[in-house]
Amino acid sequence: MLRGDDIDTDRIIPARFLKCVSFEALGDQVFEDDRLELGGSHPFDLKVHQGASILVVNDNFGCGSSREHAPQALMRWGVRALIGQSFAEIFYGNCLALGIPCATAAFAQIDALQQAVAADPSQCWGFNLQAQKLTSAAGSWDLQIESGPREMLLSGRWDATSQLVAQDAALKRTMADLPYLNDFVASLH
């Protein structure tokens, strides 16, 4: 759980870590500046939250610059689903490209959910993408995920690279039929 509106990508992964050749080390650097400033009391540093894979946030999470490193850092930390009031559009798309669902709920539901997490951080939570629900011993919360992204996640079609690789033969046939890729000659008048 991470409280606060407008948590931007610069806070999620500070700019100095964007020079990496791969995304592998970004998990250790997620919220680095916030964690240093809070001296071990940041939610990502608290023992009770270690191993948590669902991150509950507030409004406009992931705003700011459009760096794809932010969802990569969260994923490498271990986050597999996000639940919040709203998400910045580009951040949402970058999460979707990694197969990380971003579910939404109204302020009152998010507040109640954050209170339930705070009351017993050790409880087990279940995220059901199909039913759009989050459940625990503390209760059940209805979530919303837009139908297009939800279908993509349920079907596995969120992974554009895999889709392209799977369609290699069809892509090659299409490329062979495109005149501008095959010695196309045109005369100008």
Side-chain angles (χ1 to χ4, degrees):
M1 169 186 63
L2 192 60
R3 290 187 186 268
D5 293 341
D6 304 314
I7 294 177
D8 64 35
T9 56
D10 296 319
R11 287 180 59 196
I12 297 169
I13 188 70
R16 68 183 173 281
F17 299 117
L18 303 183
K19 300 173 190 166
C20 59
V21 177
S22 78
F23 296 121
E24 295 303 316
L26 292 180
D28 293 336
Q29 299 154 344
V30 70
F31 290 108
E32 179 76 10
D33 292 343
D34 287 3
R35 290 166 59 207
L36 286 172
E37 184 178 314
L38 294 175
S41 63
H42 187 277
F44 275 45
D45 291 327
L46 300 177
K47 189 173 184 171
V48 295
H49 296 302
Q50 297 302 306
S53 59
I54 301 170
L55 180 58
V56 182
V57 297
N58 292 105
D59 194 37
N60 199 29
F61 187 81
C63 59
S65 60
S66 61
R67 60 182 65 153
E68 63 184 316
H69 295 70
Q72 285 280 353
L74 290 168
M75 181 180 75
R76 292 180 193 307
W77 179 264
V79 173
R80 296 296 177 256
L82 289 149
I83 300 168
Q85 288 171 255
S86 70
F87 299 91
E89 185 177 353
I90 293 173
F91 176 84
Y92 184 97
N94 286 337
C95 284
L96 184 60
L98 295 172
I100 300 172
C102 294
T104 59
F107 170 79
Q109 284 186 285
I110 295 298
D111 187 53
L113 179 55
Q114 289 177 327
Q115 288 180 35
V117 171
D120 184 6
S122 65
Q123 66 185 307
C124 187
W125 295 87
F127 176 77
N128 186 321
L129 179 62
Q130 179 73 37
Q132 298 184 74
K133 284 199 179 289
L134 183 71
T135 56
S136 76
S140 177
W141 288 262
D142 290 325
L143 306 172
Q144 292 84 42
I145 301 175
E146 294 176 29
S147 61
R150 187 170 147 265
E151 237 351 272
M152 291 170 72
L153 291 163
L154 288 169
S155 68
R157 289 191 317 260
W158 53 266
D159 184 357
T161 303
S162 292
Q163 289 181 56
L164 286 172
V165 170
Q167 298 299 319
D168 184 57
L171 288 170
K172 286 180 180 172
R173 283 192 303 275
T174 299
M175 287 172 51
D177 291 340
L178 296 174
Y180 52 86
L181 293 178
N182 295 291
D183 298 324
F184 177 66
V185 179
S187 58
L188 297 174
H189 298 283

